[in-house]
Amino acid sequence: MYQNKRKFILPFLVSIVIAILVVMTYLKMQDITHWPTYSKEHILRNIKQPKNLPLIEELFILNDLVKDVIEQKSGSIEKPEKRADLILLTKICKDSCKAIRCRIDPGLGQACRQNCPSGKIDFCILATKRLPPENQPNPPTTD
C-alpha cells in the first residue's frame, strides 16, 4: 500500500509547482495592467543603456502613426502607409523587446509595454521593472 502512494508523490509535487507558477504569472500580469502610463521623457530619463535611445524614440514615433489601428491585423488595413508602419512596429517589437533586454533596461521595457501591440511581447512585459514615480528624482546609477 505504501508503494502505491509513493508512486504519486512526484507527479503531485510537479503539479503543485506548475500551479504555483501559473498563479504567480497571472497575478503579475494583473498587476502590470494597472501600472501607470509613463511619459516619453520619463522613460528616456530612466534608460540604462544609451544605445536603446533611438529604438525607444522609434517605438514612440511608430505608435503615434498607427495608434488607431494597432490591434488590427496588417492585412485588414486599407492604407498602405499605415500597413507598412504597423508591420515595421510589430517587427521592431518582436525583434527588440526580448525579456532579457527589458529586464536589463527598464526604460526599454516600459517603452515596449506602452507602444507594442498586445500579445507580441508577453515575456518582455513580465520581465519589466516598474519605474520610479515621475516627480521623484532618479536614483544614482552604479555604472
Side-chain angles (χ1 to χ4, degrees):
M1 180 136 182
Y2 180 70
Q3 292 292 331
N4 289 338
K5 290 181 182 178
R6 199 168 146 190
K7 177 170 39 172
F8 294 108
I9 289 177
L10 184 62
F12 178 72
L13 292 176
V14 169
S15 301
I16 294 295
V17 168
I18 290 173
I20 289 171
L21 288 173
V22 166
V23 168
M24 289 176 62
T25 303
Y26 174 77
L27 293 175
K28 172 91 175 176
M29 287 298 284
Q30 290 301 314
D31 180 47
I32 290 171
T33 58
H34 299 297
W35 281 4
T37 302
Y38 298 107
S39 68
K40 179 181 175 181
E41 293 77 26
H42 184 61
I43 289 175
L44 291 176
R45 276 190 308 238
N46 285 286
I47 60 172
K48 300 284 187 215
Q49 297 177 343
K51 68 178 184 178
N52 291 332
L53 180 67
L55 177 63
I56 292 171
E57 289 177 347
E58 189 67 22
L59 284 172
F60 275 99
I61 291 168
L62 288 172
N63 186 19
D64 286 340
L65 294 173
V66 297
K67 193 172 284 192
D68 54 336
V69 294
I70 196 165
E71 294 301 326
Q72 294 180 9
K73 300 270 184 196
S74 59
S76 66
I77 299 172
E78 297 293 323
K79 296 181 182 177
E81 311 87 35
K82 280 203 185 260
R83 183 180 315 126
D85 291 337
L86 181 62
I87 290 170
L88 181 60
L89 176 66
T90 304
K91 186 71 172 163
I92 289 173
C93 291
K94 188 176 177 183
D95 292 342
S96 301
C97 296
K98 302 289 184 194
I100 188 73
R101 291 183 74 189
C102 293
R103 185 69 180 174
I104 291 171
D105 192 348
L108 176 64
Q110 293 298 333
C112 291
R113 179 182 72 90
Q114 290 179 198
N115 294 304
C116 292
S118 62
K120 303 285 183 195
I121 53 162
D122 290 334
F123 292 114
C124 172
I125 291 174
L126 286 172
T128 300
K129 298 177 188 176
R130 187 185 295 247
L131 295 180
E134 291 198 41
N135 54 6
Q136 180 180 347
N138 294 343
T141 58
T142 58
D143 294 332

